[in-house]
């Protein structure tokens, strides 16, 4: 799939693209474009935001700037899903991640400070998504959260045996994964559950299923 991130801070995405799962799928299952609103703004001096009508603190990303960025990237044929990252959006859940990961093309719109001119959300985006009920200083971290969650769902994203099956079954259970432990088996009285040391794979599998189920009903 191709994901286009529209941002004022393309360099902020550098570290994410160097890590798994992004790094594993870049150039194969995932094509990522980082597009700076400043490169296509119709305003002088690279201006992209402006004072809010009616007054108030902070700057607002302009609708004409975002429209010009989308026009430059796509012309009139825009991706079926154009997602604006905003605390007012629908809260991100795994179900939406799975849905977006199936799109051939996805556009993510992020903004800084006070956010979008409302007409961007109303007329240019198809979806408004929040990563949680709190306010961050911009949409870059939310866009990275969404990108990471999507990249994990693409073929080849996860190291062999490191979670593809677990994540998949966890998704089917509608819940979180079972608890994991590694060495040392005993540490300050915090012991690893005996079942995991038993070598009895059927018992271990049963225990893991029970644990996953218990976590999913919370
Ligand atoms: N921009 C600022 N806060 C946000 C949030 N919680 N989710 C998505 N975008 C945001």
């Amino acid at each position: 799939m191709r994901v286009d991130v529209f941002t004022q801070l393309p360099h902020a995405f550098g570290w994410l693209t160097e890590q798994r799962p992004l790094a594993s799928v870049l150039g194969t299952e995932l094509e990522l474009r980082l597009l700076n609103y400043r490169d296509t703004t119709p305003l002088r001096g690279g201006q992209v935001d402006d004072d809010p009508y009616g007054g108030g603190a902070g700057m607002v990303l302009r609708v004409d700037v975002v429209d010009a960025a989308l026009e430059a990237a796509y012309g009139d044929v825009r991706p079926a899903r154009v997602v604006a990252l905003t605390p007012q959006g629908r809260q991100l859940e795994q179900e939406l991640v799975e849905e977006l990961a199936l799109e051939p093309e996805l556009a993510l719109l992020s903004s800084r400070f006070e956010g979008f001119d409302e007409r961007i959300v109303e007329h240019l985006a198809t979806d408004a998504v929040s990563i949680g009920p709190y306010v961050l200083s911009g949409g870059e971290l939310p866009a990275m959260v969404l990108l990471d969650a999507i990249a994990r769902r693409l073929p080849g994203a996860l190291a062999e045996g490191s979670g593809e099956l677990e994540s998949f079954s966890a998704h089917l259970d509608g819940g979180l994964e079972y608890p994991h432990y590694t060495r040392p088996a005993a540490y300050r009285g915090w012991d690893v559950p005996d079942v995991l040391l038993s070598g009895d794979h059927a018992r271990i599998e049963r225990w893991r299923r029970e644990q996953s189920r218990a976590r999913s009903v919370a």
Side-chain angles (χ1 to χ4, degrees):
M1 73 182 296
R2 198 187 69 234
V3 180
D4 298 326
V5 181
F6 295 81
T7 172
Q8 283 156 263
L9 296 172
H11 57 272
F13 291 77
W15 72 271
L16 181 71
T17 61
E18 290 162 12
Q19 312 289 326
R20 274 200 322 236
L22 257 291
S24 314
V25 291
L26 268 185
T28 53
E29 290 296 325
L30 178 67
E31 185 192 340
L32 178 67
R33 295 197 298 181
L34 299 168
L35 303 162
N36 194 333
Y37 297 117
R38 286 185 198 285
D39 294 340
T40 50
T41 181
L43 307 175
R44 264 177 301 158
Q47 185 188 347
V48 298
D49 49 17
D50 223 325
D51 310 316
Y53 279 123
M59 301 289 271
V60 175
L61 186 63
R62 286 176 56 134
V63 63
D64 50 353
V65 167
V66 175
D67 202 23
L70 292 170
E71 181 67 28
Y74 310 117
D76 289 337
V77 191
R78 300 188 175 179
R81 305 292 285 266
V82 178
V83 177
L85 281 313
T86 160
Q88 282 85 41
R90 158 185 178 187
Q91 192 156 318
L92 183 62
E93 288 181 2
Q94 190 64 27
E95 191 185 345
L96 180 58
V97 171
E98 306 289 334
E99 199 181 299
L100 295 175
L102 295 175
E103 291 291 326
E105 277 191 306
L106 189 62
L108 306 183
L109 306 179
S110 62
S111 72
R112 304 286 313 153
F113 312 118
E114 300 316 304
F116 298 102
D117 182 303
E118 191 61 24
R119 292 167 291 184
I120 297 167
V121 178
E122 266 178 36
H123 301 292
L124 297 179
T126 60
D127 297 72
V129 171
S130 163
I131 63 160
Y134 39 80
V135 180
L136 299 168
S137 309
E140 285 76 23
L141 288 170
M144 285 189 243
V145 166
L146 180 53
L147 260 177
D148 182 279
I150 288 174
R152 288 175 55 79
R153 303 308 305 148
L154 302 178
L158 304 175
E160 195 79 33
S162 80
E164 214 152 355
L165 283 175
E166 291 163 20
S167 298
F168 185 62
S169 57
H171 173 62
L172 290 183
D173 290 343
L176 300 170
E177 292 176 15
Y178 49 78
H180 292 71
Y181 297 87
T182 187
R183 284 177 282 278
Y187 184 72
R188 295 179 58 185
W190 309 330
D191 293 348
V192 171
D194 285 337
V195 54
L196 297 179
L197 309 174
S198 69
D200 180 341
H201 292 292
R203 234 185 103 205
I204 291 171
E205 272 312 301
R206 213 177 317 122
W207 180 86
R208 285 179 167 171
R209 266 197 302 277
E210 285 162 12
Q211 293 288 320
S212 297
R213 218 170 293 126
R215 287 185 173 201
S216 71
V217 294

